[in-house]
Every structure is written in C-alpha cells, then in structure tokens.
Amino acid sequence: MQSSTPAGRAGRPRSAAADTAILAATRAALVDLGWSKLTLQDVATRAGVAKTTLYRRWVGKNELVVDAVAELFDELRLPDRGSLAADIEGVVLQFAAILARPEAKSGLMAVVAESTRDAALRERIRTSIVERQKRLVLEGRARAQARGELPAEPDPVEAARTADLIFDVVAGAVVHRTLVSAEAADGEWVRSFARVLLWGLASLPHQPGLPQDHE
Amino acid sequence: MQSSTPAGRAGRPRSAAADTAILAATRAALVDLGWSKLTLQDVATRAGVAKTTLYRRWVGKNELVVDAVAELFDELRLPDRGSLAADIEGVVLQFAAILARPEAKSGLMAVVAESTRDAALRERIRTSIVERQKRLVLEGRARAQARGELPAEPDPVEAARTADLIFDVVAGAVVHRTLVSAEAADGEWVRSFARVLLWGLASLPHQPGLPQDHE
Amino acid sequence: MQSSTPAGRAGRPRSAAADTAILAATRAALVDLGWSKLTLQDVATRAGVAKTTLYRRWVGKNELVVDAVAELFDELRLPDRGSLAADIEGVVLQFAAILARPEAKSGLMAVVAESTRDAALRERIRTSIVERQKRLVLEGRARAQARGELPAEPDPVEAARTADLIFDVVAGAVVHRTLVSAEAADGEWVRSFARVLLWGLASLPHQPGLPQDHE
Amino acid sequence: MQSSTPAGRAGRPRSAAADTAILAATRAALVDLGWSKLTLQDVATRAGVAKTTLYRRWVGKNELVVDAVAELFDELRLPDRGSLAADIEGVVLQFAAILARPEAKSGLMAVVAESTRDAALRERIRTSIVERQKRLVLEGRARAQARGELPAEPDPVEAARTADLIFDVVAGAVVHRTLVSAEAADGEWVRSFARVLLWGLASLPHQPGLPQDHE
DNA sequence: TTTTAACCGAGACGGTACGTCGTGTCTTAGT
DNA sequence: ACTAAGACACGACGTACCGTCTCGGTTAAAA
C-alpha cells in the first residue's frame, strides 16, 4: 500500500486490519456519497478508526481514493477464450462491469481530474491503476501473436507505442461510453466495439444482425 | 446559457456583459488554480462581479464550469480535407488541441465525475458538450458516404447506434490518452489512431515508417 | 416625519398614505420578528411598497424604527387625577403599558444601543421620543406646584436639572423593570415606586398593606 | 463561563487562554466598532483564534457579548463609607463609571434589546449581570439596617420586592441618564439622585447650594 | 519483567470556502 | 418626479471540512 515498518521497528506496529477496513469504508462512502461529498471523517467513522490514523497512512483524500479504487481492478483477468475477438470482448466486458459500479464511477474520473495538476498523484494512478490494466493488452497481443492472429512486432519501441494506443482506445471507449455518454457498455455495444477495433469502421454496417456464438 | 428574461420584464435587466466576463474568469481560474482550488468568490472577483450574481445565474460550481468549458468546444469545425482519413485526423487533432489546454483538462473530467451522481448535471453536459461534438461524427460520416468511402446506412436506429459508438471511440481515445495516460495526442499518435479506426488492429504494424504527407 | 415637498414641486407627489402604511408595517414587523430579524424588504412588502420608496424617505433601519416607535408615545397623556401621587401613578402606568407592547420592547432599546455611536440618531431619539416624554414631567410639576404640593423653583437652571433627574428616575425605573428585570410594571409596583419617588426609601416598609383608593 | 470539560476527558482540552483572549477581544471590538458593526470574524482575529473556536464555545454574538460585558461589573464593590447616603453615592458612581465606558454602552442595551425575544438570553443576562448587581442592594440595605438608618423588614417576601424596586430605580436611573438622555452621571447628579432616593421629591428644591463634603 | 517508542481514540485547533441573506444603490419600465 | 420590480456590489452569517495538534491510554518489541 504505502508504508511497511520503515526502518526503526520499535513501538507498536500499525494495525494491518485498519488498512483493509479503511479502503472498504472508502468504497462504501463513495457509493453512498460520491467523491465530492465524501469526507475523511466519515470514512474514519465507517472504518471504526480515528481521523489521525487515516492521515498517518495517506497524505490526503486523493491518494486514499486511488488506492481504494485500484483494488477494484485487481479482479481483471484475461481468460483464454480462443480468439482475439473473444478475448477482447471478454476483457472489455469485465472492465465495463467494474466501471458500472458506483464506487468506480464516482472515484475514478475525480482523481484523474485532480491528477492533471498533481504529478505525484498522476504517478500513483499510473502505477496503481493504469499499468495494471495495460498488462492485459500486452498479454492479449502476445496470445494473439502466438495464435497467428497478429503478426510479430519487429521494433520493440513501435510495439510499446502500439500497445499504448490500443490501451487508450479500449479503455477510453469504455470510460467515455460509461461516464460521459452515461450509457451501459453492454454485450451488444462491446461486440460492435470489438468489430471496429479489429477490422475498422468499414466493417460496421455490414452485419447488423450477425448471429453471435458467445455471451 | 441559462436565463433569457423569463416572462415579466419588470426591474433592472441582467447584465449581458457579466455572463461573458464570468465565463472567461472561470476559465482563467481553471488555468491558474484547477478545479478543486477554484472558488466562486475568486471567479467573481476576477470577473468584477459579486458572488451573489454568480449564484443568481448558476446553481453551483459544476454548472458554471460546464458552461465555461463548453464554450471551448465552439471552435471545433470539420473542414473538408478530401478524404475520410484526413477528416478524422483533422478533427481529432482539433479535439486534442482543446483538451491540451489546462482549462479543459482541469474542468472537464471533474464535472464528468460529479455528473455520475447528478442527473441534471449529466443532462447539461450532454446538451452543452456531448451533442455539440457528436454532430461532427454525423457530419463526417455523411460526407464520407457522399464520397463513397462508406456505404449508406439502411437502418436509422442502427445508424444512430453506430454514430454513438464511433463518437465514444474517438472522444474516449483522445480523452484517455490526454488525461489518464497523460501524454500528448500529437500528429503521429493521431495518424496511428485514425488508421486503427478505419482499418482495424491488423492494419497497424504493417507500415511503421509509412511516409506521411500531412501534419 | 422628515420630508415635505422640499422646494421644486414638479412630478408625481409622494403618497402620504405610504408613510402611514410603512410605519404601521414597521411596528407589525417588530412584533413578529423583533429588531434584529426585521428587514427593510419585509417592511416594504408588508406596506405594499417598494424598498426604494423606503430609502427615499428614511436613511436606514434605525431612523425608520425611531419614527415607528415614537408614534407609540403619542398616546401618553397627563389627566388631572387630583394629587401628585395619583398623577405620577397614572402616567407611569401609561408608560408601562406602552413598554409592555412587543413593538416597543423590541425596538426601543435597540435604537438606543445604536445611538451610542451615532450622534444624529441620538438627536432624533431625543426630539422624537425623549422630549415628548419629558414634557409630562414639567407639566406634572407645574400642576403640583399650582396645587401647593411642591414649592416653586426659584432657579430656572436648577429647575431644568431637577426635571431631567426626575425624568431619568421615572423612565429609567420603568424601562429597567420592564426590559432588564423583565417583569411587569403592574399597579402594585407602580404604587410602591410612586411612594419612594415622593417620600424616599424610608417610607417604604411601613405600610405594606395600605388601603388603596385608585386602580 | 460556559463549559468545564463536561464528563469524558478524551481529546485535546480546550485552551483556557482562548476564553480570556476572546472576551478581551470582544470588549476591544465593542470599543472600536460598537455592537452592530462587530463581527465574530473580527473578534476571532483580534483574539488570535479561529472563528470556529468562537462558535464552539458560544452560541452567538449575543451570548458572547453578555459574557464580555458581565466581566466589567466584576469590579463593582460596596465599600463602607459610613452612611447609607454615602454608600449609595459610592456605588452609583462606580456603576456610572462602568456604564460610561464605550464597551458597556455599546453592548449592554443591545443584548437587553435582543433578550426581549430570547428567554435563554434573558436568563443569561439575569444570572451574569443583574443578580451580580442586585446583591449590592441587599448588602447595602443590611448595612444600613445594622447602622439603624433603615428599619428591619419583617416580611421576607416584601423585603425581596422592595430590593427589586430599589434596584430597578437605581440601575434604571443611571442607565437612562447615561444611555437615553446621553449625559454623564457625574458627582452632582449622583448626589441629587441619592437625595431623592432617600428622602423623596420634596427634599429636592430645599438645599440647592448645600455645601458638600465628599466628591 | 520493565522500558520505551510508536501506535491509537478523541476532539480542539487555525484556516478556508461554502451558500444564504441583508444592505443600500442602480437601472429599468410604467404611472 | 414619482413608483414597483428586481439586479447589483458588498460583506457578514453560521456551517462544514481540511489537515494539524495535543491529550490520555494501549500495545508489542527491545532491553
């Protein structure tokens, strides 16, 4: 999380249970109140902890919420569904399911907004949330290349750039659909999105009622 | 905006100049302070206006910032650059340029985050910002269809759904690149993005050093 | 009151009815809200008049309330009850009855408090309220001297000083009883007070159950 | 004052020095600004304290000023000057000296005016200010009875009633002279007042130029 | 065992912004 | 020239939250 019994080890150690309780309380408060009405005193009370304990472990509301929201993305997995298209649809649906939860909705964009003026927060978001998600893109591409669905990348620099692009397209689309357009990224939407991602715009209008074998 | 001399015309009319000054002051404050440090008193002072005048015209900080940021998107145009690919690159670059400005960065995601718990704010964002942008997608598609680059849409419902999808992909990618990944959506990125959008993932690694004639 | 069609007489004349309505509305507002909650907008609304009209005729809340309260003391009279003792009791009872009304209670001490830092207001209170009351003291003394109950005053300076003293003792006792001690200045209290005033402290404990022929 | 570490003693204790500083700052603000211009923020700043600290200890401006003014009356004493007349003159002069101070002038009548619509405030004034003063009346009478200047009171109910009356006459006269008539209660006035109080109106005009041996 | 040092709860503290309200001025249109 | 209506600049209100601090009291590793 953030500490780890720094150097001197005398004295009473920090309660490990408190961390868990605090992060859970933060998510609960996000659900009930949303980002802007959430207060650290309220989180502390919900967690059965003093406000001081919160400040001893996190520098502020932003950092706390990043950690609380980051845990939501721990459950993201990339099970092998047999094809690149199916893998994409699977992971996008998972991502959409997480973003549909109010604690993610409320918290995620708020800390991103804050991070535009706070480099440390930006870095924390990158390591706690973004990188964790980006690994799935790399993993999915490797799997597709192993299957022969995608050609190998000769240039590693270009490969990284491409992975970043794909990540922004995938994550951005789901986030925008869910938060800005404020509509559900359901199965139908995900299938259409995966088609565009794989084959481009031209592929779109051709098979509106195409029979689907998954979901 | 929000008012317009409701019905009765008695009393001193609202100053039209104040609206302009307030929205400009809001953007200036966003640049200097960012969303979370922005105070309505500061905005009022910058605009040479009393705080009460702000509250008479906007219900709160969120609504004010939506209007202030929405004006930034007024300059979005879709000049005809001859091909769908060039049109996409052009408009995406414009969108990226706006999002690169600190007043947009600070304000946009913050109000989106707030809107997850406020239906009225969500609606305001939709009409003031989202719909304004979405029109460009419809316009670009119509132009591409006229050129023969895209087939006609037989089903209007499906056509709307598709436009929504494209909009979320385009806007989402730029927003995510700019705000979450926190990197510039520059010419190179935009070209790569447009290629994926048009022809899909498979098109990506084939022409890494393809000569480019625009930007 | 304060104006009177100054010199130029062109244009629409001021409504005389408005003055009456405003002062009555002020007293009503004093009863309902008290001094500190009273607002000029509320008074204007009660009087069916615009706030501007109020400011055109009075400089502020203090002056308005002085005038509104002053009218309450117009009803003070000094009917000849045959003896100095009876006259005193009669006028004190009248004064107590006025001070018992909530519009006087709320307003009077408030403007006095304000007047400690505002010479113009002090002067307005003196002419509108204090002098009006003090005349009764002079009148009562003259009558008592005519009856032979009090000796004539040889020195006019000393006579004025004495009248002021008596006035402060009488008015002060009733005001303090009513507002500070917050108890009613009823018949029994007034009789005891009159006895002290006429014959001094020593007269007090002797006839507690003395038969009374008036009130 | 008002608190006293209620029951549980957890948490940081309230600063005792703050109370003193706040009351002194309140009196200073009364001197500089008067009641109506006095703001709690200004008092807080003068006391080097946050506005919240004020609200934690007093419910409002009225209560704060009552406590600040009440302390002024702590210095009232009743030194034995040998005769009832001298005792009265002495204590009245002290009372007048306090009322002559601008912090008392500004604050006292204002809170009395407010108290006409606030029973809790009335009670606070009674216990903090009125009762403290009334004790001097009882003490002075007991001393005069011991000297044989006044007869003993057989009926305790009547004795209390009489003390109240004397108190209202004395305090009321000084208050009215100082605040309403807005003139100084100086030595000459006090001597005349004491004569009336002791021997009644009839005693007044007889010795206009009587030689005085005190003041 | 006894230190002993860091932990913990509670809650007061100095600050700052909030959104509301009242004041006194002004700018309209209407009488 | 007056009026009613209401917008305006200003500034105080009382509340809420922030992040810090100061207490009394606990807890576990080090001495």
Side-chain angles (χ1 to χ4, degrees):
Chain A
M1 212 63 55
Q2 71 290 340
S3 69
S4 65
T5 349
R9 80 259 309 109
R12 176 176 173 179
R14 287 187 179 166
S15 157
D19 269 350
T20 311
I22 290 168
L23 291 174
T26 304
R27 283 188 292 269
L30 278 175
V31 172
D32 291 355
L33 309 168
W35 159 265
S36 61
K37 306 285 185 195
L38 177 152
T39 70
L40 292 193
Q41 180 60 77
D42 181 82
V43 170
T45 306
R46 284 171 192 258
V49 141
K51 200 170 52 146
T52 332
T53 300
L54 267 171
Y55 279 103
R56 218 173 277 122
R57 302 176 187 212
W58 285 274
V59 286
K61 185 166 149 173
N62 291 327
E63 288 72 13
L64 174 61
V65 170
V66 170
D67 285 0
V69 170
E71 286 192 345
L72 293 174
F73 294 99
D74 283 349
E75 62 192 51
L76 269 181
R77 292 288 178 278
L78 188 63
D80 192 332
R81 299 171 129 218
S83 74
L84 178 54
D87 282 5
I88 290 174
E89 290 183 23
V91 78
V92 166
L93 272 172
Q94 282 182 59
F95 190 57
I98 292 170
L99 274 189
R101 294 164 68 172
E103 58 269 44
K105 265 200 176 83
S106 281
L108 190 57
M109 283 302 99
V111 293
V112 167
E114 290 300 303
S115 78
T116 60
R117 304 188 55 89
D118 180 344
L121 185 60
R122 208 153 50 228
E123 178 61 15
R124 192 180 194 111
I125 291 174
R126 209 181 54 73
T127 57
S128 296
I129 301 182
V130 172
E131 291 299 333
R132 212 177 295 209
Q133 296 168 11
K134 203 177 280 182
R135 260 184 291 124
L136 297 179
V137 172
L138 300 172
E139 195 178 333
R141 178 166 66 181
R143 195 180 288 169
Q145 288 170 333
R147 285 196 202 100
E149 291 175 295
L150 288 178
E153 293 274 356
D155 178 3
V157 172
E158 182 62 21
R161 225 192 309 267
T162 304
D164 286 354
L165 171 62
I166 295 169
F167 173 61
D168 283 328
V169 172
V170 173
V174 178
V175 165
H176 202 271
R177 168 80 177 177
T178 308
L179 301 179
V180 182
S181 297
E183 297 192 50
D186 55 9
E188 189 185 2
W189 184 87
V190 170
R191 278 189 298 273
S192 301
F193 169 67
R195 207 180 315 150
V196 170
L197 182 61
L198 281 169
W199 301 300
L201 275 192
S203 73
L204 259 189
H206 298 156
Q207 309 97 333
L210 190 82
Q212 303 289 344
D213 47 355
H214 39 65
E215 162 73 5
Chain B
M1 213 63 57
Q2 72 289 342
S3 69
S4 67
T5 344
R9 80 256 312 107
R12 176 173 173 177
R14 290 192 176 166
S15 158
D19 267 343
T20 311
I22 290 168
L23 291 174
T26 304
R27 283 187 292 270
L30 278 174
V31 172
D32 291 355
L33 309 168
W35 159 265
S36 62
K37 307 283 186 198
L38 178 151
T39 69
L40 291 193
Q41 178 61 75
D42 181 82
V43 169
T45 305
R46 285 170 192 259
V49 140
K51 198 168 51 148
T52 34
T53 298
L54 281 181
Y55 281 104
R56 211 174 285 119
R57 301 175 186 216
W58 286 274
V59 288
K61 186 166 149 174
N62 293 327
E63 288 73 14
L64 173 61
V65 171
V66 170
D67 285 0
V69 170
E71 286 192 346
L72 293 174
F73 294 99
D74 283 348
E75 61 191 52
L76 269 181
R77 291 290 178 278
L78 188 63
D80 192 333
R81 300 170 135 223
S83 73
L84 177 53
D87 282 4
I88 290 174
E89 290 183 24
V91 80
V92 166
L93 272 172
Q94 283 181 58
F95 190 56
I98 292 171
L99 275 189
R101 293 164 67 172
E103 58 269 44
K105 264 201 178 82
S106 283
L108 191 58
M109 283 302 99
V111 293
V112 167
E114 291 300 303
S115 78
T116 60
R117 304 190 54 87
D118 180 343
L121 185 59
R122 210 151 49 225
E123 177 61 16
R124 194 182 194 110
I125 291 175
R126 209 181 55 73
T127 57
S128 296
I129 301 183
V130 171
E131 291 299 333
R132 212 177 294 210
Q133 296 169 9
K134 204 178 279 183
R135 259 184 291 123
L136 298 180
V137 172
L138 299 172
E139 196 178 332
R141 179 167 65 180
R143 194 179 289 168
Q145 288 169 334
R147 285 196 202 100
E149 293 176 293
L150 287 179
E153 293 274 355
D155 178 1
V157 172
E158 181 64 19
R161 222 192 310 266
T162 303
D164 287 354
L165 171 62
I166 295 168
F167 173 61
D168 283 328
V169 172
V170 174
V174 179
V175 165
H176 202 269
R177 169 79 176 178
T178 308
L179 301 179
V180 182
S181 296
E183 298 192 48
D186 55 9
E188 189 185 3
W189 184 88
V190 170
R191 278 192 295 277
S192 301
F193 169 67
R195 206 179 317 149
V196 170
L197 183 62
L198 281 169
W199 301 301
L201 276 190
S203 74
L204 259 189
H206 297 158
Q207 308 97 331
L210 191 81
Q212 302 290 345
D213 47 356
H214 39 65
E215 157 72 3
Chain C
M1 215 60 58
Q2 72 291 336
S3 68
S4 64
T5 350
R9 77 237 334 96
R12 175 173 172 181
R14 286 189 180 166
S15 158
D19 270 350
T20 312
I22 290 168
L23 291 174
T26 304
R27 283 187 292 269
L30 279 175
V31 172
D32 291 355
L33 309 167
W35 159 266
S36 61
K37 307 284 185 196
L38 176 151
T39 71
L40 293 192
Q41 180 59 77
D42 180 82
V43 169
T45 305
R46 283 171 193 259
V49 141
K51 200 168 51 143
T52 332
T53 301
L54 267 171
Y55 279 103
R56 217 174 280 120
R57 302 178 186 212
W58 285 273
V59 287
K61 185 166 150 174
N62 291 327
E63 288 73 13
L64 174 60
V65 171
V66 170
D67 285 0
V69 170
E71 286 193 344
L72 292 174
F73 294 98
D74 283 348
E75 63 192 51
L76 269 181
R77 291 290 177 277
L78 187 63
D80 192 333
R81 299 170 132 219
S83 74
L84 177 55
D87 282 3
I88 290 174
E89 290 183 23
V91 79
V92 166
L93 271 173
Q94 283 181 57
F95 189 56
I98 293 171
L99 274 189
R101 294 164 66 171
E103 58 269 43
K105 264 200 177 85
S106 283
L108 190 58
M109 283 303 100
V111 293
V112 166
E114 290 301 302
S115 78
T116 60
R117 304 189 55 88
D118 179 344
L121 184 60
R122 207 151 52 227
E123 178 61 14
R124 192 181 196 110
I125 291 174
R126 209 181 54 73
T127 57
S128 297
I129 301 183
V130 171
E131 291 300 334
R132 211 177 295 210
Q133 296 168 12
K134 203 177 281 183
R135 258 184 293 123
L136 298 180
V137 172
L138 299 172
E139 195 178 334
R141 178 167 65 180
R143 194 179 289 167
Q145 288 170 334
R147 285 197 201 99
E149 293 175 294
L150 287 178
E153 294 273 356
D155 178 1
V157 171
E158 182 63 19
R161 223 190 313 265
T162 304
D164 287 352
L165 171 63
I166 296 168
F167 172 61
D168 284 327
V169 172
V170 173
V174 179
V175 165
H176 202 270
R177 168 80 176 177
T178 308
L179 300 179
V180 183
S181 296
E183 297 192 50
D186 55 9
E188 188 185 2
W189 184 88
V190 170
R191 278 190 296 275
S192 301
F193 169 68
R195 204 179 318 150
V196 170
L197 182 62
L198 282 170
W199 301 300
L201 275 191
S203 73
L204 259 189
H206 297 157
Q207 310 96 331
L210 191 82
Q212 302 290 344
D213 47 355
H214 38 65
E215 158 75 2
Chain D
M1 213 63 57
Q2 74 288 342
S3 68
S4 65
T5 343
R9 79 254 314 106
R12 178 173 172 177
R14 289 192 177 166
S15 157
D19 268 345
T20 311
I22 291 168
L23 291 174
T26 303
R27 283 187 293 269
L30 278 175
V31 173
D32 291 355
L33 308 168
W35 159 265
S36 61
K37 308 282 186 199
L38 178 152
T39 70
L40 291 193
Q41 178 61 77
D42 181 82
V43 170
T45 304
R46 285 170 192 259
V49 140
K51 196 169 50 147
T52 34
T53 298
L54 280 181
Y55 281 104
R56 213 174 283 120
R57 299 173 187 218
W58 286 275
V59 288
K61 188 166 148 173
N62 292 327
E63 288 73 14
L64 173 61
V65 171
V66 170
D67 285 0
V69 170
E71 286 193 344
L72 293 174
F73 295 99
D74 283 348
E75 61 192 53
L76 270 181
R77 292 289 178 277
L78 188 63
D80 192 332
R81 300 169 133 225
S83 74
L84 176 54
D87 283 2
I88 290 174
E89 290 183 23
V91 78
V92 166
L93 271 173
Q94 283 182 57
F95 190 56
I98 293 172
L99 275 188
R101 294 164 67 172
E103 59 268 45
K105 263 201 178 82
S106 282
L108 190 58
M109 283 303 100
V111 294
V112 167
E114 291 299 303
S115 79
T116 60
R117 305 189 54 87
D118 180 343
L121 184 60
R122 208 151 52 228
E123 178 61 15
R124 194 182 194 109
I125 291 174
R126 208 181 54 75
T127 57
S128 296
I129 301 183
V130 171
E131 291 300 332
R132 212 176 294 210
Q133 297 168 10
K134 202 176 281 182
R135 258 184 292 124
L136 298 180
V137 173
L138 300 172
E139 195 178 333
R141 178 168 63 181
R143 195 179 289 168
Q145 288 170 333
R147 285 196 202 100
E149 293 176 293
L150 287 178
E153 293 273 355
D155 178 2
V157 172
E158 182 64 19
R161 224 192 309 267
T162 303
D164 287 352
L165 171 62
I166 295 168
F167 173 60
D168 283 327
V169 172
V170 174
V174 179
V175 165
H176 203 270
R177 168 80 176 176
T178 308
L179 300 179
V180 182
S181 296
E183 298 193 49
D186 56 8
E188 189 184 1
W189 184 89
V190 170
R191 278 191 296 276
S192 301
F193 169 67
R195 206 179 318 147
V196 170
L197 182 62
L198 281 170
W199 301 300
L201 275 191
S203 73
L204 260 189
H206 296 160
Q207 308 98 331
L210 190 82
Q212 302 290 344
D213 47 356
H214 38 63
E215 161 74 8

